[in-house]
Amino acid sequence: MNRRDFLNTAGVLGISSAINSESVFGQTNYEIMMKPLKKIITIEEHFVLKKISQRAAEFNSKQNGGILSNDPVQKELMAIVLPTSDDIEDVGNRRIKFMDESGIDIQVLSYGAGSPQNITDRTLAIELCQEANNELAGLIKMHPTRFAGFAILPAADPNSAAEELDRAVKQLGFKGAMLSGTFNGRFFDEPEFLPVFSKAQELNVPLYMHPAIIPKSIAEYYYKSDNWPSVTSAMFATAGYGWHLDSGIATVRLIASGIFDKLPNLKLISGHWGELVPFYLNRLDDQLGKTLQLNRKISDYYKSNIYVTPSGLFSEAQLKYVIEELGADNIIYSGDYPFLIDKNTRGFLEKATISREAKEKIGYKNAEKLLHL
């Protein structure tokens, strides 16, 4: 053995010895940390119902003069980011096969692209949201140990949306609801939407604040340029960056509106590691906080009322940062299936160099507590 090989071997043995030097009840700390988790629950997993999405598209086309969008750039983007119909429309064997192969025990399902949430016709929005929730409840009943659900709500009528949330939780057994983007150019901190948040607090269920397409004027101002292809502008404005920034702003707006002073027990969920907000809590406190008349600091509301999920962004650096900033109690696991199909979903968390306690909280315990699973 030459000197280099000897030193490399000695180094490996030294690291191994250090890892295994401390033990608990006969097991090394390393073995405890790497032990398989009891279960994995992921809570930002999407599905669509073909008939519902078609009816939503038909209504939206009428708003556009009866013409469905035929924009070639949009089509190119959708070909890149959208999952196959087989994957997103299936709430059965195909999805369960992926879950088994990826080590996922339970998915909490929410409506994906083509959602009727933002249909501006109140009657149609209520009808389609109720129909979608009923159908999802039926699908969950076919596999009750593998699936749970978040309701979809008709934002056009906030009082009816609150009633639908009540029905979905009490009658259909849903675990909360998802709100995507904005409604008709208005963020959800507007007073008109307060009944939905009040009902969520009353029912003790969370609302998942999910990104969505941002207004064209904003997309063009921030993300369009002659320096890159049009499809790059479209991606930059959506999944590449834009809608995450927009969704993070929506969360900060809710805090700034004083909603948690009105509803101190309200719980929200923010995906993609909190849509950039956890990385700026100090700055928000230090600057924006100077101008607000709130009972607590922005970061205090965030850490007590908001949970974050990775949404399939399996970066250990981001995981560790968010644990350091928010604590493992504020993180719930998610994979963003089938927009991301990653069979390393379980493996990432189990192999992460964080404590066993943190893995258990993130992997399933926090979800069980928050969603009453």
Side-chain angles (χ1 to χ4, degrees):
M1 178 182 294
N2 62 36
R3 183 173 181 272
R4 178 178 292 178
D5 290 340
F6 173 79
L7 290 174
N8 286 342
T9 301
V12 171
L13 290 174
I15 293 170
S16 177
S17 175
I19 290 172
N20 290 296
S21 61
E22 298 181 14
S23 64
V24 179
F25 302 114
Q27 288 185 300
T28 67
N29 289 340
Y30 180 77
E31 288 171 336
I32 293 170
M33 188 174 72
M34 298 300 289
K35 183 179 178 182
L37 293 168
K38 178 181 176 182
K39 68 179 76 168
I40 291 288
I41 300 172
T42 58
I43 71 164
E44 189 192 322
E45 320 307 320
H46 300 292
F47 79 105
V48 301
L49 300 167
K50 187 175 182 179
K51 291 187 297 183
I52 298 290
S53 291
Q54 283 180 340
R55 290 186 65 188
E58 288 169 2
F59 173 82
N60 291 330
S61 73
K62 290 178 183 177
Q63 305 300 102
N64 191 35
I67 302 172
L68 289 171
S69 175
N70 197 35
D71 185 284
V73 175
Q74 194 70 11
K75 286 188 174 182
E76 186 177 357
L77 178 67
M78 293 301 101
I80 296 171
V81 301
L82 288 184
T84 68
S85 296
D86 288 341
D87 286 322
I88 198 164
E89 292 176 8
D90 175 83
V91 183
N93 293 336
R94 186 183 183 91
R95 187 179 294 256
I96 290 172
K97 181 176 184 291
F98 163 78
M99 292 167 65
D100 290 343
E101 291 173 348
S102 310
I104 300 166
D105 296 276
I106 299 173
Q107 281 190 350
V108 182
L109 304 174
S110 52
Y111 209 97
S115 163
Q117 172 198 284
N118 284 343
I119 288 177
T120 55
D121 181 282
R122 286 176 166 80
T123 301
L124 182 62
I126 293 168
E127 176 191 340
L128 292 185
C129 287
Q130 288 180 344
E131 186 176 337
N133 291 334
N134 290 341
E135 190 157 342
L136 176 58
L139 293 168
I140 291 171
K141 284 183 179 179
M142 295 173 65
H143 305 281
T145 64
R146 305 306 301 272
F147 299 126
F150 284 134
I152 185 172
L153 305 177
D157 187 335
N159 288 320
S160 294
E163 292 173 4
E164 179 59 12
L165 177 59
D166 189 86
R167 184 186 78 92
V169 171
K170 292 180 178 178
Q171 298 182 28
L172 303 181
F174 283 8
K175 306 305 178 182
M178 178 172 281
L179 294 175
S180 294
T182 57
F183 173 72
N184 206 21
R186 295 169 69 79
F187 282 93
F188 284 107
D189 59 89
E190 296 289 350
E192 66 195 83
F193 299 111
L194 187 61
V196 178
F197 295 95
S198 297
K199 179 59 68 173
Q201 176 177 265
E202 176 189 325
L203 295 169
N204 192 25
V205 297
L207 296 174
Y208 202 125
M209 309 305 293
H210 190 272
I213 302 297
I214 64 178
K216 183 178 179 181
S217 59
I218 296 174
E220 290 185 347
Y221 179 74
Y222 278 111
Y223 307 110
K224 187 176 181 180
S225 173
D226 293 334
N227 294 318
W228 49 73
S230 295
V231 71
T232 302
S233 298
M235 179 67 85
F236 196 4
T238 55
Y241 190 78
W243 67 24
H244 303 298
L245 185 62
D246 190 68
S247 188
I249 289 171
T251 298
V252 175
R253 287 179 62 104
L254 281 163
I255 296 172
S257 75
I259 196 168
F260 295 115
D261 288 340
K262 301 182 186 80
L263 304 172
N265 296 317
L266 173 67
K267 302 299 183 184
L268 304 180
I269 306 172
S270 181
H272 308 97
W273 296 119
E275 313 291 4
L276 306 176
V277 177
F279 303 92
Y280 277 84
L281 286 175
N282 180 268
R283 184 67 169 177
L284 289 165
D285 282 343
D286 187 50
Q287 296 300 316
L288 182 61
K290 294 175 181 178
T291 69
L292 293 171
Q293 301 298 316
L294 298 175
N295 294 338
R296 302 162 65 197
K297 294 193 300 183
I298 292 170
S299 61
D300 289 340
Y301 294 110
Y302 202 96
K303 293 174 182 180
S304 63
N305 295 82
I306 296 173
Y307 293 77
V308 304
T309 82
S311 306
L313 303 183
F314 296 143
S315 160
E316 188 161 326
Q318 289 174 301
L319 169 65
K320 288 180 175 179
Y321 179 89
V322 176
I323 290 175
E324 180 70 21
E325 184 67 27
L326 304 181
D329 289 331
N330 286 57
I331 306 171
I332 300 178
Y333 213 40
S334 68
D336 204 10
Y337 180 90
F339 293 93
L340 298 174
I341 300 180
D342 191 338
K343 292 186 179 179
N344 190 42
T345 300
R346 186 187 192 102
F348 168 77
L349 186 60
E350 288 188 335
K351 294 174 184 176
T353 53
I354 60 176
S355 72
R356 174 75 183 182
E357 180 184 18
K359 291 180 183 181
E360 289 176 340
K361 287 179 177 180
I362 296 166
Y364 65 95
K365 286 185 176 180
N366 292 341
E368 288 181 333
K369 181 178 180 180
L370 180 66
L371 305 182
H372 315 292
L373 290 169

